[in-house]
């Protein structure tokens, strides 16, 4: 028998962590532990709560740590996109200077750095 009412426990805790500005590490740890405990109580609708927090990578990661995904696996796509964006930003920053510092580079050069970062992310061959 499932436990749909666990959503009424999880969702307010997740929102409180967001509203108070908890860092990603804290959200992932606290909510991961909570998800585990709720699963032990037969929570089988965690994917419904996950749907409500797809815009928060730390919360998505907490669900993924406990093997909870949306039915369409759209949560995984968002996670991959967020990781790709982080890697591209990091590669551009490393190649052209610290964040907030304007450096003149050609669009071609910037594009090549971004392409290389994406290839690295997906494990593609480098030219």
């Amino acid at each position: 028998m499932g436990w749909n009412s666990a959503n009424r426990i999880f969702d307010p805790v997740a929102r409180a962590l967001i509203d108070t500005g908890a860092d990603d590490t804290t959200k992932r740890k606290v909510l991961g532990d909570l998800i585990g405990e709720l699963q032990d109580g037969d929570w089988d609708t965690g994917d419904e709560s996950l749907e409500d927090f797809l815009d928060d990578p730390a919360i998505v990661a907490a669900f993924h740590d406990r093997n909870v995904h949306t039915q369409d696996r759209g949560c995984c796509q968002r996670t991959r996109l967020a990781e790709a964006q982080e890697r591209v930003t990091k590669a551009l920053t490393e190649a052209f200077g610290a964040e907030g510092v304007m450096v003149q580079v050609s669009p071609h050069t910037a594009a090549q750095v971004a392409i290389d970062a994406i290839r690295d992310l997906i494990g593609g061959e480098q030219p």
Side-chain angles (χ1 to χ4, degrees), residues 21-82:
D23 63 79
D24 287 350
T25 302
T26 300
K27 286 189 285 188
R28 189 171 182 172
K29 170 68 172 134
V30 170
L31 295 176
D33 290 350
L34 179 58
I35 292 165
E37 290 299 318
L38 294 173
Q39 286 175 322
D40 287 347
D42 201 23
W43 185 29
D44 63 356
T45 59
D47 60 322
E48 293 174 8
S49 285
L50 172 55
E51 288 277 352
D52 293 336
F53 297 99
L54 288 175
D55 60 338
D56 191 310
I59 295 176
V60 172
F63 276 107
H64 286 181
D65 292 345
R66 299 298 181 156
N67 202 30
V68 178
H69 301 272
T70 56
Q71 288 185 5
D72 66 357
R73 293 281 179 157
C75 57
C76 298
Q77 179 66 18
R78 285 181 183 229
T79 299
R80 286 191 298 273
L81 290 173

